[in-house]
Amino acid sequence: MKMKIRQIFLVLTFSITFVTALQTVPVIVASHKLVPELKSEINADNIEAHNVTSVTNMLKKLITACSSDEYLLVNIPGLQLDDITDNKVEQWPFVSNYLKMASSLVGLPWVHGTLDFQFLERYIIRNCQAEAVYVNSVNHEEVAPYYDVRTRVIVVNLPPLPIDGSRDGTLKEYDELIRKIIRKLPSPHYTLLITSDVTTTTHPVPHTFIRSNPDRFEIFNNIINHSSRATEYERNDNVKNVDPIWHKPKHTNDRYLRNKKKDEIHFFRDNELWMKYQQLVTTVIVMILGLFMMKIISIFGNIKQWIIDKKRKNQLIIEKNKKHD
Ligand SMILES: *[C@@H]1O[C@H](CO)[C@@H](O)[C@H](O)[C@H]1NC(C)=O
Ligand SMILES: *[C@@H]1O[C@H](CO)[C@@H](O)[C@H](O)[C@H]1NC(C)=O
């Protein structure tokens, strides 16, 4: 009898799990400078999965402040909560430090769906007059040092995490890469967003169990839920403590040429610029096409007239000839 009840219970649990399992991704957001009340856009706690709309609204709020000089959007395909809990903190020596230093810090273990990186990239470009840089491999060389002060969006798309024993090593490698990129930036004011563009299946866990085990069900609980984070405050007022790496250009002419070259390709590369002039360019093209069409139509009209005139002339000649006959 006891056995049977247990079986029924198991089957019930299984079917409930099957029905309510969610496809989720974890999200970490850290801003060096304070952007107050980010969390007001999302659920007060992480007990239930957040929806993408509310998380995107939170990110819009963060981006609208334009308080960072660099926005790193890091996609680690396959990343899940278990990769970024307290007992994996050794795999993230540098990122965990950046998180500790961040004035605004949000960790979401489960977001129901993936974030739209392209939208976020465009939103940053448009709002903060930023320029995009892409890193598509574990190679920080893809981020060239830069000298100007323009805001950057650095979109980092990493290879999917392996599911074998090398996973921890890969996490460490990615941690090091993020540090190398951040160290190249001329300004210490960065925003770091880490997530995955593929979801993993999350089975529901009783709420009481989540509440009593934050080290297992929160992202880096010791950092993100640190007692000092009970109230928000600016942790990086004295930014001069952070030694920025200034790359001194050797040749001012080099720099001029480089900037010139950059400006040349900007027009087609830079979405924002294109969006701004799209209408103008389209209007000009349409106008030119219109003039061209009008010209062609008038030429055709002339030819037609010419043919009609010719026919009429021939007709007259024939009629004349007939009369003569
Ligand atoms: C998403 O989450 C927010 C914040 O909790 C909530 O107000 C909103 O109704 C949710 N939207 C959907 C579509 O579930
Ligand atoms: C840390 O987590 C506990 C339990 O989830 C919560 O009660 C507490 O308010 C959190 N502390 C901070 C500083 O967020």
Side-chain angles (χ1 to χ4, degrees):
M1 184 63 195
K2 216 172 179 185
M3 209 46 208
K4 226 171 190 168
I5 289 176
R6 213 170 137 171
Q7 263 172 356
I8 290 171
F9 182 73
L10 269 177
V11 168
L12 261 179
T13 315
F14 184 78
S15 19
I16 290 170
T17 306
F18 189 74
V19 170
T20 56
L22 289 178
Q23 293 297 317
T24 67
V25 296
V27 174
I28 303 177
V29 183
S31 170
H32 190 253
K33 288 200 109 182
L34 180 69
V35 182
E37 288 173 42
L38 280 184
K39 286 187 195 155
S40 65
E41 301 295 323
I42 53 172
N43 283 343
D45 60 32
N46 291 332
I47 302 295
E48 303 225 6
H50 298 271
N51 62 47
V52 171
T53 311
S54 62
V55 177
T56 304
N57 284 341
M58 177 187 79
L59 292 171
K60 280 183 178 170
K61 186 172 188 174
L62 171 75
I63 295 165
T64 306
C66 277
S67 57
S68 286
D69 296 320
E70 302 101 10
Y71 290 82
L72 272 91
L73 309 181
V74 183
N75 168 31
I76 304 179
L79 186 78
Q80 51 191 30
L81 175 62
D82 285 346
D83 297 313
I84 44 181
T85 51
D86 276 345
N87 61 13
K88 280 290 166 79
V89 80
E90 273 154 43
Q91 262 58 56
W92 301 93
F94 299 112
V95 165
S96 60
N97 245 331
Y98 288 124
L99 300 187
K100 277 179 204 157
M101 288 190 299
S103 299
S104 288
L105 182 57
V106 181
L108 310 173
W110 306 291
V111 176
H112 189 193
T114 57
L115 300 180
D116 185 343
F117 261 40
Q118 245 182 27
F119 168 81
L120 293 174
E121 180 195 326
R122 291 206 193 109
Y123 201 79
I124 297 167
I125 289 176
R126 193 150 30 94
N127 269 275
C128 312
Q129 282 76 51
E131 184 173 285
V133 177
Y134 304 95
V135 179
N136 291 312
S137 66
V138 192
N139 183 5
H140 65 96
E141 303 293 339
E142 289 184 30
V143 181
Y146 57 90
Y147 314 115
D148 58 306
V149 290
R150 202 162 165 199
T151 306
R152 293 296 198 282
V153 192
I154 301 166
V155 184
V156 187
N157 275 302
L158 292 169
L161 280 176
I163 44 175
D164 57 17
S166 64
R167 192 176 179 101
D168 278 0
T170 308
L171 295 179
K172 221 164 172 175
E173 198 184 342
Y174 290 175
D175 176 72
E176 174 99 36
L177 174 76
I178 292 170
R179 175 224 192 190
K180 279 185 180 153
I181 294 173
I182 290 183
R183 282 194 56 177
K184 271 193 188 180
L185 310 174
S187 155
H189 303 307
Y190 55 82
T191 286
L192 178 60
L193 179 132
I194 302 177
T195 185
S196 160
D197 69 350
V198 287
T199 57
T200 46
T201 306
T202 307
H203 297 288
V205 177
H207 291 179
T208 47
F209 194 62
I210 297 179
R211 281 208 179 83
S212 52
N213 295 281
D215 54 324
R216 281 181 57 189
F217 296 107
E218 293 284 348
I219 298 174
F220 298 132
N221 187 54
N222 281 336
I223 302 170
I224 294 183
N225 192 11
H226 190 263
S227 55
S228 73
R229 302 229 170 236
T231 53
E232 286 186 313
Y233 62 94
E234 175 60 66
R235 288 162 194 253
N236 300 298
D237 257 341
N238 198 359
V239 290
K240 288 198 179 83
N241 284 343
V242 186
D243 232 341
I245 310 160
W246 293 108
H247 303 274
K248 285 221 177 70
K250 287 184 206 107
H251 238 284
T252 39
N253 195 43
D254 277 358
R255 181 174 167 183
Y256 163 70
L257 287 177
R258 197 168 28 237
N259 285 344
K260 204 176 142 201
K261 210 169 168 191
K262 247 196 231 160
D263 285 339
E264 279 168 10
I265 49 173
H266 266 181
F267 191 80
F268 295 102
R269 277 216 165 161
D270 199 328
N271 245 332
E272 184 208 3
L273 243 166
W274 168 243
M275 260 144 70
K276 208 159 144 192
Y277 291 114
Q278 187 184 25
Q279 231 174 356
L280 184 69
V281 172
T282 328
T283 312
V284 169
I285 290 175
V286 166
M287 269 172 67
I288 292 173
L289 276 179
L291 285 174
F292 192 67
M293 287 299 281
M294 274 163 69
K295 195 81 197 164
I296 287 190
I297 287 170
S298 87
I299 287 174
F300 269 112
N302 285 346
I303 292 175
K304 206 169 140 197
Q305 196 58 48
W306 182 74
I307 291 172
I308 290 171
D309 286 353
K310 190 123 192 199
K311 264 192 187 158
R312 205 171 282 156
K313 248 186 215 163
N314 285 350
Q315 202 84 36
L316 281 178
I317 291 171
I318 291 168
E319 272 167 26
K320 247 187 202 169
N321 286 351
K322 267 188 188 160
K323 262 186 204 167
H324 274 278
D325 287 346

